[in-house]
Amino acid sequence: MPIDKIFGTTVDLLAKSIDLRSRSHTMISANLANVETPNYTPTALSFENELRGALKGKNTGSPAVTHPKHIPLKGQSNSIQQVQGTVVETPSLSPGKDNNGVELEAEMSRMAENQIMYNASIQILSKQFNEIKSAIRENK
């Protein structure tokens, strides 16, 4: 039995979420590091809708591109592994005198939210592996 069948899409989704949250953390950190850089425009990684779409596409049983020479069907959702997110500029509505668009409080809030979601994904993934470990021990 392939390992994919044991976990379904849960492990793939959590692993990709952890990866994307890590990339998002890096971008938020860069914004905070440039809080006093003149003319700096902050960026963010937008991936939630793309990840949600990939998950829905996987659950509906849409045909997968299993070979590089296959032609993807029009309107087909990306698989979870293909989600990369989109870098978007998030300028402040009221930039400072030096035209810096970083809002310290907003960035700190985004970082805290991202960290909470990252930790939650780690905990759920850990629980998934502990359940499998427990099932293996009981079958010995």
Side-chain angles (χ1 to χ4, degrees):
M1 172 190 280
I3 193 94
D4 294 355
K5 302 299 181 197
I6 295 173
F7 297 110
T9 58
T10 305
V11 170
D12 288 341
L13 177 64
L14 290 169
K16 183 49 88 167
S17 175
I18 290 166
D19 177 47
L20 293 168
R21 296 249 172 236
S22 177
R23 288 183 52 211
S24 182
H25 182 85
T26 301
M27 295 183 104
I28 296 167
S29 296
N31 293 341
L32 290 170
N34 286 290
V35 73
E36 294 184 11
T37 303
N39 300 316
Y40 181 80
T41 302
T43 57
L45 184 66
S46 175
F47 62 88
E48 289 86 358
N49 289 337
E50 191 178 342
L51 197 57
R52 193 175 299 116
L55 184 61
K56 286 180 182 178
K58 191 152 188 143
N59 286 342
T60 59
S62 58
V65 177
T66 57
H67 190 273
K69 292 186 179 181
H70 287 176
I71 299 171
L73 298 176
K74 186 175 183 178
Q76 178 184 358
S77 298
N78 288 334
S79 72
I80 292 171
Q81 292 83 11
Q82 293 173 327
V83 174
Q84 294 299 312
T86 305
V87 177
V88 293
E89 290 186 347
T90 57
S92 171
L93 297 175
S94 56
K97 292 179 184 178
D98 60 356
N99 204 28
N100 182 299
V102 178
E103 293 180 356
L104 185 61
E105 295 82 13
E107 294 298 324
M108 293 300 291
S109 174
R110 285 183 44 226
M111 182 173 274
E113 177 186 357
N114 190 61
Q115 186 66 45
I116 289 168
M117 297 300 287
Y118 178 90
N119 289 343
S121 296
I122 293 286
Q123 288 175 354
I124 294 168
L125 187 60
S126 176
K127 185 173 174 82
Q128 288 286 316
F129 287 127
N130 285 336
E131 287 175 5
I132 292 297
K133 192 181 342 178
S134 175
I136 291 170
R137 284 185 185 149
E138 289 178 13
N139 285 329
K140 282 187 175 181

